Structure formats: C-alpha cells, structure tokens
Amino acid sequence: MRLYDCAASANGYKLRHVLSWLGRPYELIPVDIFAGESHTPDFLRHKNPAGRIPVLEPEPGRFLAESNAILLFLTEDTPLLPRDAFERAQVHQWLFFEQNCVEPNIGTARFWMLTGRARLHHPEVLRVRVEAGRAALSTLERHLRHADFLVGGRPTVADIGLYAYAHVAPDADLSLEDFPAVSRWLARVKDQPGHIGALAPYPANAMVAAT
C-alpha cells in the first residue's frame, strides 16, 4: 500500500494518523505540491485528475483520492467505523461537516497566515474565513460538552478526521482556550495508542516573500 502525500498536508495527516492507529504498514511517496508534482500529466491521468493529494494506492494500479473517502475505506471492518447504520451515518455527518465547515475555513486561514499569503487577500476575506472557523469550533464545543468523542462515546474515524485541523486552529488565530470541551477532546484523541504527533510545518518553497 502506498500513500502519495505531502508532510505539511492536514488532509494527509489524517491518513497517516489512522494508519498508525490501525498499525498498518505502508510506503509513503512524498509529493511536492508546491513544485507542481501533483499536476504532472502522469499524476493527473493515473492518480487524481483533480491534481490533489493525498492519494492512496491500496494495490498496484488502483488509486483513491479525497481524504475522508480514504478514511472510510481504510477503516472498513475495523472498530473505528461503527457497524450500526445510524452510528455510521453519524460518522459520515461529522466527516462531511469537516470538509464543509472546518477544512475550508481553519485550513485556508492557517495556510494563508503561515505562508504569507494572507497579505495577498483583502483583510475582510481573511476575517470571514477565521470567523467561519470559529463557528465550526463552536459547533464542536456544543457537541463535546456532553460527549467524550464525536460518535457513540468511543473513538471513531470521525475523531481522526476532525482532529487534523482542530489541533492546529491556533495557527489560524483561533485560541483553543475559548473552547474548553474541544481542548479536552483533543487531549483524549492525542492519548490514544498510535498518535503520531503534531502536523509538520510548511516547507520553505510554500512561503510567499514579503515585498
């Protein structure tokens, strides 16, 4: 099994995280997205026509993109994906929420701030992303005040999916001190066997120089 990924990608981090939790071996194939390696003709034709990472190659010649689709594929028939139909749907609910509300806002604001791209956008555009990220964390806070984990009172792949961007929210100027239930949940996820540590920083070629 091969994982085509960039170390700074939070979407790829989800997959490295779940593979570690499951103790599954894989070969990591680095892809320098900032040098255009995910937009080569070969990558677009054979791996992901959207030109994005991560991409999983579970067996030679078969490729699967979109991080949360890969999470669900990897956790099929494991304790991380509930067998109960309603709980499975709740896992899907949180993974859809992550891609709709968390990744586009916390992830984008963080990327802009850490790479210097924030200065390329009108301040109001960045403010809207940060406030939408705050709203996403507020949703998690309301739920986690009454739950140790996102679904069924136990760790599932939903927790791995949401952890990726939530634990780096401070990089998007979102203080986790404002979200105590989220902070306690992050600590519980971090305490699970197989935790891989924090997300890697962006490489030098991702940075936009000041002018």
Side-chain angles (χ1 to χ4, degrees), residues 1-47:
M1 182 161 57
R2 293 177 173 177
L3 177 63
Y4 299 82
D5 192 18
C6 171
S9 166
N11 282 322
Y13 175 87
K14 301 172 193 175
L15 307 183
R16 300 191 299 274
H17 208 169
V18 75
L19 286 164
S20 181
W21 274 31
L22 294 172
R24 297 187 63 179
Y26 66 99
E27 180 184 1
L28 180 63
I29 309 295
V31 179
D32 188 344
I33 58 176
F34 302 105
E37 290 182 358
S38 63
H39 282 84
T40 64
D42 178 76
F43 195 97
L44 294 171
R45 179 179 178 184
H46 298 292
K47 297 176 179 67

Side-chain angles (χ1 to χ4, degrees), residues 71-130:
L71 285 179
L72 293 170
F73 173 78
L74 289 171
T75 53
E76 188 68 38
D77 295 324
T78 77
L80 293 177
L81 187 60
R83 291 184 179 275
D84 176 79
F86 183 74
E87 287 192 344
R88 285 173 72 97
Q90 287 182 309
V91 166
H92 292 190
Q93 168 193 316
W94 284 112
L95 292 178
F96 294 158
F97 170 81
E98 188 269 342
Q99 286 290 281
N100 283 324
C101 301
V102 177
E103 189 270 349
N105 296 306
I106 295 176
T108 298
R110 175 179 182 268
F111 177 68
W112 288 350
M113 290 180 182
L114 293 184
T115 62
R117 286 167 168 78
R119 68 179 180 79
L120 303 179
H121 300 276
H122 191 282
E124 180 65 11
V125 175
L126 177 61
R127 187 195 69 80
V128 168
R129 293 283 187 173
V130 172

Side-chain angles (χ1 to χ4, degrees), residues 189-208:
V189 175
K190 186 177 179 180
D191 283 343
Q192 299 303 305
H195 183 74
I196 62 173
L199 183 62
Y202 286 109
N205 64 336
M207 307 303 170
V208 173

Side-chain angles (χ1 to χ4, degrees), residues 30 59 68 81 92 115 123 128 132 135-136 139-140 148 164 166 210:
E59 56 188 75
N68 289 353
L81 187 60
H92 292 190
T115 62
V128 168
T139 298
L140 282 173
D148 287 342

